[in-house]
């Protein structure tokens, strides 16, 4: 009779799953971030963008409102609503979904905090809202480094940039570069 050590087998399966966790979850993130052009045509860019953000754990604030919307089921079914602010804290958004910002004409504030899938490519994609974005916060998004922050030079209307907790920022060079490229912006880059 063969005796199996299920404890050791269970540990091996768990470790194998842990090693594959990132690619599997990233695949799911991509699915939830993909852009549905038909949905945008049907609902308009702001409503479709709000659906994407709320579906992935972020919140929005409509133009003319003071409270942020966090509940997907509370999305308005009709009327003209325009996104003015985005707050993504521990949200599952990534650069693929940033195409949802296309056509949103009133987004002037974006806060990205502790978003695991935000990286340098996402920083490049922020140029979609370069005409309206005035306030940007990037906090504890560990995959963003100096090269990603350099992409923010395209955001010429930015008035306030706050960056904190990015271990890829090695010195103050990027802060000087951004201050020079964005003279009307208050740039505040803090330690990791």
């Amino acid at each position: 009779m063969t005796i199996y050590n299920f404890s050791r087998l269970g540990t091996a399966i768990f470790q194998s799953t842990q090693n594959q966790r990132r690619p599997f979850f990233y695949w799911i993130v991509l699915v939830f971030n993909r852009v549905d052009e038909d949905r945008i045509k049907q609902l308009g860019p702001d409503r479709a963008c709000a659906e994407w953000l709320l579906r992935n754990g972020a919140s929005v604030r409509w133009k003319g409102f003071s409270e942020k919307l966090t509940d997907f089921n509370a999305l308005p079914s009709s009327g003209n609503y325009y996104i003015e602010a985005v707050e993504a804290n521990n949200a599952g958004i990534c650069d693929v979904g940033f195409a949802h910002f296309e056509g949103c004409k009133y987004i002037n504030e974006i806060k990205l905090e502790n978003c695991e899938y935000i990286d340098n490519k996402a920083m490049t994609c922020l140029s979609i809202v370069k005409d309206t974005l005035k306030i940007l916060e990037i906090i504890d998004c560990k995959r963003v480094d100096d090269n990603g922050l350099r992409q923010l030079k395209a955001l010429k209307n930015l008035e306030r940039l706050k960056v904190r907790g990015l271990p890829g920022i090695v010195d103050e060079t990027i802060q000087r570069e951004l201050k020079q490229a964005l003279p009307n912006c208050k740039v505040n880059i803090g330690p990791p």
Side-chain angles (χ1 to χ4, degrees):
M1 180 168 132
T2 305
I3 299 175
Y4 295 100
N5 185 340
F6 288 104
S7 172
R8 189 178 290 165
L9 177 64
T11 301
I13 290 171
F14 176 75
Q15 288 172 341
S16 173
T17 305
Q18 288 295 89
N19 292 339
Q20 296 176 7
R21 180 176 153 237
R22 175 143 204 104
F24 177 71
F25 282 119
Y26 188 68
W27 178 82
I28 291 173
V29 167
L30 291 178
V31 169
F32 278 94
N33 277 272
R34 77 176 170 77
V35 176
D36 183 348
E37 295 295 335
D38 291 334
R39 191 84 175 144
I40 293 170
K41 287 177 187 170
Q42 178 186 9
L43 300 173
D46 286 272
R47 167 63 193 242
C49 184
E51 285 184 357
W52 160 64
L53 289 163
L54 293 171
R55 182 175 57 239
N56 286 288
S59 63
V60 299
R61 183 174 42 78
W62 300 117
K63 185 175 191 241
F65 288 76
S66 59
E67 297 293 318
K68 64 183 178 181
L69 177 65
T70 59
D71 183 1
F72 185 90
N73 295 316
L75 278 165
S77 58
S78 63
N80 293 324
Y81 292 87
Y82 304 102
I83 299 173
E84 188 171 53
V86 173
E87 186 174 323
N89 190 343
N90 293 307
I93 61 174
C94 71
D95 63 288
V96 171
F98 278 39
H100 284 95
F101 290 137
E102 190 71 45
C104 297
K105 306 277 188 221
Y106 299 96
I107 297 176
N108 64 26
E109 183 177 348
I110 296 179
K111 181 178 181 182
L112 305 169
E113 185 171 354
N114 201 29
C115 295
E116 183 177 349
Y117 301 105
I118 294 296
D119 58 11
N120 291 345
K121 289 186 281 185
M123 298 299 100
T124 302
C125 296
L126 283 171
S127 66
I128 295 170
V129 290
K130 68 180 171 111
D131 294 332
T132 59
L133 191 62
K134 294 183 185 320
I135 300 168
L136 177 61
E137 293 184 21
I138 305 164
I139 301 169
D140 293 325
C141 295
K142 308 294 187 205
R143 295 171 180 257
V144 177
D145 61 23
D146 292 8
N147 293 324
L149 293 182
R150 281 186 180 90
Q151 304 308 310
L152 303 179
K153 293 177 184 179
L155 306 176
K156 297 297 183 185
N157 290 321
L158 211 57
E159 296 174 359
R160 194 168 72 218
L161 172 63
K162 178 180 178 182
V163 177
R164 292 269 184 279
L166 305 186
I169 307 301
V170 292
D171 60 28
E172 296 177 7
T173 304
I174 188 62
Q175 184 161 335
R176 283 191 302 272
E177 286 181 38
L178 288 169
K179 283 183 177 182
Q180 184 177 7
L182 305 169
N184 297 322
C185 180
K186 181 181 176 187
V187 178
N188 186 342
I189 298 180

